[in-house]
Amino acid sequence: MEKYQFEVCANSVESCMEAQAGGADRVELCAGIPEGGTTPSYGEMFIARRVLDSVALHVIIRPRGGDFLYSEMEERIMLADIGQAVSLGVDGLVFGCLTPDGDVDIPLMGRLMEATHGLPVTFHRAFDMCRDPFRAMEDIIGLGCRRILTSGQQPSARQGIGLLKDLRLRAGDRIAVMAGCGVNEENIGLIARETGVREFHFSAREAVYGGMRYRNGEVFMGSGTAHTGEYVRQVTSAGRVRRTIEALTGR
């Protein structure tokens, strides 16, 4: 029987708990999902660490949205956030840094890796912005990262099947290639069959409407949809996590 690993991209402690209930192996705790994921708050990490007992807690370290070219000040922020996460006892960290020319920023990555005190590191989808994925993978392996999260440099993992397969074949046992972006219960089986990838990253979120009875339809806080956006949240569903896993494993 194939051995798979299932990681849920969790946007809150609530989503972490749903991922755990659904049978995930690991969560990646993030804030700022519309920006592609940013570092969660200290409080979010603190509580997540205390409520999770059967899944590994990994935390993204990303000070802002946008590109992955970081300033000296942003490096200081990332190092401070890594220190906080390590002190809270997280199980792993997720980050990635690039040069202006689209290569892995090896010196900066090395300094961040040193600050993790040996925790496993996933190089996140900054990989999908690299100009040469095979060179980038070799650099990431050399840095000692445990896995690469990638959509195969396409808008979704389904569209990136070709590169995902090539990366997995070239990586061998040296590093895990984890397919992410748009992975769900409808396509996870296809992606697994076509690529040979054994690790999957997905969110399994559903809309949850809040309890506000009064709603001001004239004002919104950035969601872009004044009539619904401020009164609905996207939260991971234990049922969807379970169905996605079952779609691949049958369990």
Side-chain angles (χ1 to χ4, degrees):
M1 183 176 178
E2 296 287 357
K3 175 64 175 177
Y4 297 106
Q5 289 280 307
F6 301 100
E7 176 180 281
V8 170
C9 176
N11 59 354
S12 63
V13 173
E14 184 179 4
S15 286
C16 287
M17 295 175 69
E18 289 288 310
Q20 179 168 260
D25 298 294
R26 185 170 62 244
V27 297
E28 180 199 17
L29 180 60
C30 308
I33 295 297
E35 297 180 288
T38 55
T39 307
S41 73
Y42 178 89
E44 199 92 51
M45 291 188 284
F46 181 93
I47 299 301
R49 178 66 291 168
R50 278 148 184 78
V51 300
L52 296 178
D53 53 25
S54 64
V55 301
L57 172 62
H58 288 204
V59 171
I60 193 171
I61 304 296
R62 187 178 177 220
R64 57 164 172 78
D67 62 30
F68 303 97
L69 176 64
Y70 296 112
S71 68
E72 290 183 10
M73 182 62 73
E74 287 168 334
E75 175 182 349
R76 291 173 59 190
I77 293 168
M78 295 171 82
L79 287 168
D81 284 336
I82 288 171
Q84 291 278 29
V86 170
S87 73
L88 288 172
V90 304
D91 299 302
L93 294 161
V94 182
F95 51 81
C97 311
L98 303 182
T99 70
D101 294 319
D103 297 314
V104 175
D105 188 335
I106 296 174
L108 176 52
M109 282 294 299
R111 293 191 293 273
L112 298 181
M113 294 287 291
E114 185 176 359
T116 69
H117 296 285
L119 286 178
V121 171
T122 299
F123 194 100
H124 59 40
R125 290 189 64 223
F127 180 86
D128 290 324
M129 301 301 194
C130 290
R131 63 186 178 91
D132 183 338
F134 299 108
R135 174 180 172 180
M137 184 174 71
E138 296 303 325
D139 289 340
I140 293 165
I141 291 170
L143 285 162
C145 294
R146 187 72 60 86
R147 62 181 55 80
I148 297 169
L149 170 61
T150 175
S151 62
Q153 297 199 330
Q154 295 296 318
S156 71
R158 170 66 182 84
Q159 294 166 279
I161 279 175
L163 181 57
L164 283 166
K165 179 178 180 180
D166 291 344
L167 290 167
R168 195 268 305 171
L169 289 171
R170 189 169 298 196
D173 296 328
R174 297 180 298 156
I175 194 169
V177 175
M178 179 165 60
C181 190
V183 175
N184 57 45
E185 55 269 56
E186 301 298 326
N187 62 29
I188 192 170
L190 173 67
I191 295 168
R193 287 193 303 273
E194 294 294 322
T195 66
V197 166
R198 296 293 176 261
E199 297 199 18
F200 299 90
H201 172 97
F202 53 91
S203 62
R205 287 191 288 268
E206 294 180 344
V208 174
Y209 288 85
M212 290 293 297
R213 288 189 293 272
Y214 170 73
R215 300 187 177 190
N216 183 352
E218 302 302 318
V219 178
F220 62 99
M221 302 296 167
S223 68
T225 309
H227 294 285
T228 61
E230 306 308 327
Y231 304 103
V232 63
R233 297 175 296 119
Q234 295 292 322
V235 180
T236 294
S237 157
R240 283 202 69 195
V241 173
R242 191 174 299 111
R243 290 194 296 274
T244 304
I245 293 171
E246 289 174 350
L248 188 55
T249 66
R251 61 178 171 86

